[in-house]
Amino acid sequence: MQKVLYLGYVWPEPNSSAAGSRTMEFLRLFRQQNWQVMYASAASLSEHRADLAALDIEEKVIAINCDSFDHLLQNYQPDLVVFDRFFTEEQFGWRVAQYCSQALRVLDTCDLHSLREARQQLLKLSMPVHAKEAERHQVGAVTADAVALYKCMTASDLAQREIAAIYRCDLSLMISSFEVDLLRQYFSVPAYLLCDTNLMLVPVQRQLTSYEQRQHFLSIGNFRHAPNWDAVLWLKHAIWPRIRQQLPQAELHVYGAYPPPKAMALHQPQQGFYMKGWADNAQEVMAQAKVCLAPLRFGAGIKGKLADAMATGTPSVTTQIGVEGMQGDLAWGGLVADDRETFADAAVRLYQDQNLWQLSQQQGQAILQKYFDRELNTQSFLQALLLAREQQAQRRQQNFTGMMLRHHLHKSTQYMSQWITLKNQKN
């Protein structure tokens, strides 16, 4: 492979989200292979986007429902096209199939959106309908098993769209072994269509700040990501009051990109609840904290904030959803709790017990070494990519479901897009 076209849902922001960090790892890896890379997106140019020019990556602003993208494909003729999330595959996949049929089509799911949506719906159903805001956030994290999740997902339009996109592509990049198992066992997705890779930037620090040098609790996450905003609300209304009862002088510092006014309105220093907003260096503020709190009641994929916590030697308290796909058979680098009382008590215990804190720090380092080794993840990903290229014709022939879905959905998408294009030209 010599030419890569990376179709971004957004412009990558490695300092704003784990997804942005993961995208940059792929882009760097492609350039290290001396492959020519073009990054194209229909999204607005963002303030915090990465400097792709520094990696000698060409940037292209593209438009949806526009034939100009066809001309780009015909001129560039990529060997590999990466779709950043299934929305992008839906919009541009038929054009790639039509004008660059020889290109290997790869979908980076980032996480399974339909799984996250299913858990969010289950959480909403567990909340009292007409209760006040604080009362609504007393319920704990979603603990539904795979059977219940599958049942919820099958009724979802989002799941049907997302899994159809997985079938239509030659390879889908997954970031959670739980999601791989869910797709294989319950949705019958062939194993050769899935690549489980933890490749993401985890800058492990050699010199870890000690227990005595640290202070305060910390929570961090992009506010545009629904699970992160929900976690802040659960902290504010249900968990933090219980922590403050036991630790009256404790402080919680909440960081995250793109905080809306409603988030900053939660700032209450008299309660030790500090809304900090954007962090110029997430690893730096994480390394100064004593305990990271990630009370995720719903979500999917693996959590960049928790990888950063382990990399900086900061023990964490999170839920089963938080640790999903991250620890394998190893003990977590902190404590895990799914209800507000247990979560708060675990946070206090980890904050006060130095021996437990140091053990948790060691356990976090062990997880990073076993499951987030950059060199091993890089080699396994490249091998999967090159094997998919080598077996591309054979796999496409085997994947009749994917051909069928591509035919029906792409025809309808193609005709709708062409109709919109003609309409825009007349206007």
Side-chain angles (χ1 to χ4, degrees), residues 18 21-23 25-26 29 108 110 173-180 195-202 301-304 307 310 323-328 367-381:
S21 174
R22 176 175 165 88
T23 296
E25 281 298 280
F26 287 132
L29 180 57
D108 182 19
C110 291
L173 308 181
M174 311 299 299
I175 200 169
S176 164
S177 57
F178 177 85
E179 294 175 8
V180 171
C195 173
D196 186 7
T197 174
N198 281 346
L199 185 61
M200 60 186 296
L201 181 62
V202 184
I302 62 174
K303 316 306 178 294
M310 291 185 286
V323 304
E324 184 178 275
M326 295 194 71
Q327 68 179 117
I367 290 172
L368 290 181
Q369 292 173 12
K370 185 171 182 178
Y371 296 108
F372 291 87
D373 183 278
R374 190 182 185 197
E375 184 175 347
L376 291 177
N377 284 325
T378 294
Q379 292 304 315
S380 63
F381 166 64

Side-chain angles (χ1 to χ4, degrees), residues 210-228:
S210 68
Y211 175 86
E212 294 84 359
Q213 294 173 299
R214 296 169 180 254
Q215 58 181 347
H216 309 318
F217 292 94
L218 173 141
S219 180
I220 191 168
N222 191 317
F223 284 93
R224 289 180 176 175
H225 192 52
N228 293 335

Side-chain angles (χ1 to χ4, degrees), residues 54-104:
L55 295 175
D56 197 22
I57 294 175
E58 183 179 2
E59 296 180 342
K60 284 285 186 181
V61 177
I62 55 178
I64 61 174
N65 301 315
C66 182
D67 292 343
S68 61
F69 182 71
D70 303 342
H71 304 317
L72 182 151
L73 291 173
Q74 291 170 311
N75 292 330
Y76 188 60
Q77 285 297 310
D79 303 296
L80 167 64
V81 177
V82 181
F83 301 102
D84 177 20
R85 286 162 267 207
F86 80 93
F87 316 110
T88 307
E89 190 277 338
E90 284 185 328
Q91 183 62 47
F92 297 103
W94 70 270
R95 295 181 184 270
V96 173
Q98 180 169 332
Y99 294 102
C100 299
S101 60
Q102 84 292 344
L104 186 73

Side-chain angles (χ1 to χ4, degrees), residues 126-421:
S126 70
M127 291 180 170
V129 178
H130 301 294
K132 296 180 180 178
E133 181 76 355
E135 295 172 349
R136 286 173 50 78
H137 291 288
Q138 300 305 310
V139 300
V142 173
T143 57
D145 62 12
V147 175
L149 291 170
Y150 172 72
K151 182 178 180 181
C152 185
M153 291 170 70
T154 53
S156 163
D157 174 73
L158 190 68
Q160 295 173 28
R161 292 170 53 199
E162 183 170 34
I163 295 169
I166 289 172
Y167 268 103
R168 287 192 298 266
C169 289
D170 297 308
L171 191 67
S172 287
L173 308 181
M174 311 299 299
I175 200 169
S176 164
S177 57
F178 177 85
E179 294 175 8
V180 171
D181 292 342
L182 185 68
L183 289 173
R184 291 186 59 185
Q185 295 179 24
Y186 292 88
F187 292 94
S188 303
V189 177
Y192 64 81
L193 292 181
L194 304 174
C195 173
D196 186 7
T197 174
N198 281 346
L199 185 61
M200 60 186 296
L201 181 62
V202 184
V204 180
Q205 297 186 0
R206 294 184 179 180
Q207 295 294 328
L208 300 178
T209 312
S210 68
Y211 175 86
E212 294 84 359
Q213 294 173 299
R214 296 169 180 254
Q215 58 181 347
H216 309 318
F217 292 94
L218 173 141
S219 180
I220 191 168
N222 191 317
F223 284 93
R224 289 180 176 175
H225 192 52
N228 293 335
W229 171 235
D230 177 77
V232 172
L233 292 176
W234 197 28
L235 273 171
K236 180 67 172 64
H237 295 297
I239 296 173
W240 185 245
R242 186 178 179 92
I243 292 176
R244 282 278 287 189
Q245 285 178 357
Q246 301 176 67
L247 299 174
Q249 303 305 314
E251 294 182 11
L252 171 62
H253 295 183
V254 181
Y255 291 89
Y258 302 107
K262 63 181 179 180
M264 300 309 294
L266 300 178
H267 182 73
Q268 291 184 307
Q270 69 276 16
Q271 297 179 7
F273 201 91
Y274 292 82
M275 298 299 299
K276 296 287 188 174
W278 171 268
D280 291 328
N281 189 318
Q283 285 75 32
E284 184 177 308
V285 297
M286 183 73 78
Q288 297 170 359
K290 185 166 288 187
V291 174
C292 171
L293 301 181
L296 297 162
R297 291 193 289 183
F298 68 95
I302 62 174
K303 316 306 178 294
K305 63 179 71 63
L306 294 174
D308 284 344
M310 291 185 286
T312 56
T314 308
S316 62
V317 184
T318 187
T319 61
Q320 290 293 339
I321 289 174
V323 304
E324 184 178 275
M326 295 194 71
Q327 68 179 117
D329 58 354
L330 299 180
W332 183 245
L335 298 173
V336 181
D338 289 317
D339 64 80
R340 58 191 175 95
E341 294 88 356
T342 309
F343 195 102
D345 293 346
V348 172
R349 181 184 169 205
L350 189 57
Y351 193 89
Q352 292 183 314
D353 189 333
Q354 183 172 352
N355 291 330
L356 175 62
W357 190 93
Q358 291 172 338
L359 175 62
S360 297
Q361 187 182 74
Q362 295 168 10
Q363 290 171 173
Q365 296 296 298
I367 290 172
L368 290 181
Q369 292 173 12
K370 185 171 182 178
Y371 296 108
F372 291 87
D373 183 278
R374 190 182 185 197
E375 184 175 347
L376 291 177
N377 284 325
T378 294
Q379 292 304 315
S380 63
F381 166 64
L382 284 176
Q383 289 172 5
L385 199 63
L386 296 175
L387 183 61
R389 181 61 164 176
E390 180 183 329
Q391 299 178 350
Q392 180 173 308
Q394 176 187 350
R395 290 185 179 188
R396 286 185 178 179
Q397 188 177 41
Q398 290 177 336
N399 183 18
F400 180 77
T401 301
M403 288 191 289
M404 181 173 58
L405 290 169
R406 188 160 53 249
H407 171 80
H408 288 288
L409 185 130
H410 280 184
K411 286 298 182 183
S412 60
T413 303
Q414 174 184 347
Y415 296 146
M416 176 59 73
S417 181
Q418 290 174 338
W419 179 80
I420 294 174
T421 300

